[in-house]
Amino acid sequence: MTSKKVIELFYDVVSPYSWLGFEVMCRYRTVWNIELKLRPTFLGGVMQGSGNKPPGLVPNKFLYMTKDLNRLSEYFNVPLRSPSDPFEAMFQKGSLNAMRFVTAIQEKGKGGDEQVERVSRELWRRIWYEDKDITEPASLSEAGIKAGLSDSEIKELLELSNSKEIKNKLKSSTQNSLDYGAFGFPLVVCHLNGKPELFFGSDRFELMAHCIGEKWLGPLPDQPAAKL
C-alpha cells in the first residue's frame, strides 16, 4: 500500500459546517488511505485576517443557511439544530475560550487526537444541538466530563488554556490556515506530491476524493449509523 496522504482539517466548533466536515473526515479516516490531522483554529481570527464577512450577517444568506442546515443534518446524520439566538451564540459569545480549551487538550497530547475529537464533538453538540453555552469554564468542564475527562484533568486543562503558550499555539494555527489561504471553515488541506490542495466547505468531498485518488461513498461510507 502506498504511504498515507496527510490531510489537515482546520475547524472551529462555532461553525456548523465545520461539524459536518469533521464527522465526514473522521468517518473516512479508516476508509481512505489518509492520515488525518485535526487543527483546532479560531474562526474569528480567520474572518478578520482574510477580510471575509460571516454569512450570518447577510440576511438572505442567514435565512438560506437555516434551511440548508436542516437538510444537511439529515443527509450527513449529524444532529444539527440552530441555537435559539444564533447571533448571540456565534458572534457575541463566540468560541475563543472553547478553541483554547481544545488546543490545550491537543497540547497535552494524551491519546493522540482521540480526546480532541471527543471534546470537539461535545462542544459542537452543546452549541448546535442542545442550545447551551460553550464559553464559561463550567460549560467547558461539562463537555470535558461527557468526553471522558476526569475532574483533575479538566482543572489542569482550564488553567493551561489561559496560558500564553496555548494562546500563542491557537494564534499560530489560525495564521497557518491563513497562510494556506483560508477565508472560512471547514478547510481541508490535502498534501499531494509536496503541494497543498485546499478544499473549503462541507460539499467538496467528491471532488476531494477524485483529487487524492479515492472513492466517495457518500456521507456514511461504512453503514447507516445511529444518531450521534
Side-chain angles (χ1 to χ4, degrees):
M1 181 178 287
T2 57
S3 60
K4 292 185 176 182
K5 297 177 178 68
V6 175
I7 294 183
E8 298 179 86
L9 172 63
F10 292 87
Y11 70 92
D12 186 322
V13 297
V14 80
S15 161
Y17 292 100
S18 284
W19 193 6
L20 301 173
F22 176 91
E23 295 298 352
V24 169
M25 292 310 302
C26 286
R27 292 167 187 170
Y28 272 86
R29 185 171 42 196
T30 56
V31 178
W32 290 345
N33 186 33
I34 63 173
E35 179 184 355
L36 180 64
K37 294 183 178 293
L38 301 180
R39 301 294 190 224
T41 316
F42 181 46
L43 180 58
V46 168
M47 301 301 283
Q48 183 177 11
S50 65
N52 196 5
K53 188 175 183 180
L57 297 182
V58 181
N60 282 355
K61 282 186 178 181
F62 179 77
L63 290 173
Y64 175 81
M65 186 175 78
T66 302
K67 296 179 181 178
D68 192 42
L69 289 175
N70 289 333
R71 296 181 298 208
L72 291 170
S73 173
E74 180 180 358
Y75 177 70
F76 285 105
N77 194 22
V78 175
L80 276 170
R81 187 165 56 197
S82 292
S84 55
D85 189 341
F87 186 85
E88 178 188 42
M90 297 177 69
F91 305 118
Q92 293 181 350
K93 289 187 172 182
S95 60
L96 183 58
N97 291 342
M99 297 316 294
R100 284 175 177 169
F101 185 63
V102 176
T103 301
I105 293 170
Q106 190 168 62
E107 181 66 15
K108 293 295 291 184
K110 295 179 181 179
D113 272 347
E114 185 178 340
Q115 289 183 342
V116 173
E117 179 182 341
R118 292 202 308 265
V119 173
S120 296
R121 185 174 288 118
E122 289 300 333
L123 289 168
W124 264 308
R125 183 189 289 272
R126 285 185 67 85
I127 183 174
W128 284 104
Y129 183 66
E130 299 174 346
D131 195 12
K132 293 181 179 178
D133 173 75
I134 61 166
T135 64
E136 298 297 330
S139 303
L140 301 176
S141 296
E142 187 174 333
I145 289 172
K146 287 188 176 181
L149 300 177
S150 67
D151 289 339
S152 60
E153 286 176 321
I154 291 170
K155 181 179 179 181
E156 181 182 2
L157 289 166
L158 287 172
E159 292 176 356
L160 182 61
S161 66
N162 288 318
S163 69
K164 185 176 181 180
E165 174 189 10
I166 293 304
K167 291 177 180 179
N168 287 339
K169 184 176 176 65
L170 183 59
K171 287 180 182 178
S172 177
S173 180
T174 302
Q175 187 57 52
N176 287 343
S177 71
L178 286 167
D179 291 343
Y180 277 130
F183 53 88
F185 290 154
L187 177 71
V188 179
V189 181
C190 301
H191 294 271
L192 304 173
N193 302 317
K195 295 171 57 179
E197 290 285 343
L198 275 60
F199 299 89
F200 166 73
S202 57
D203 57 355
R204 293 293 185 269
F205 298 116
E206 191 169 359
L207 177 60
M208 185 192 309
H210 170 76
C211 290
I212 66 175
E214 298 284 356
K215 290 184 178 180
W216 169 244
L217 304 173
L220 300 167
D222 293 326
Q223 58 185 5
K227 286 288 185 179
L228 293 168

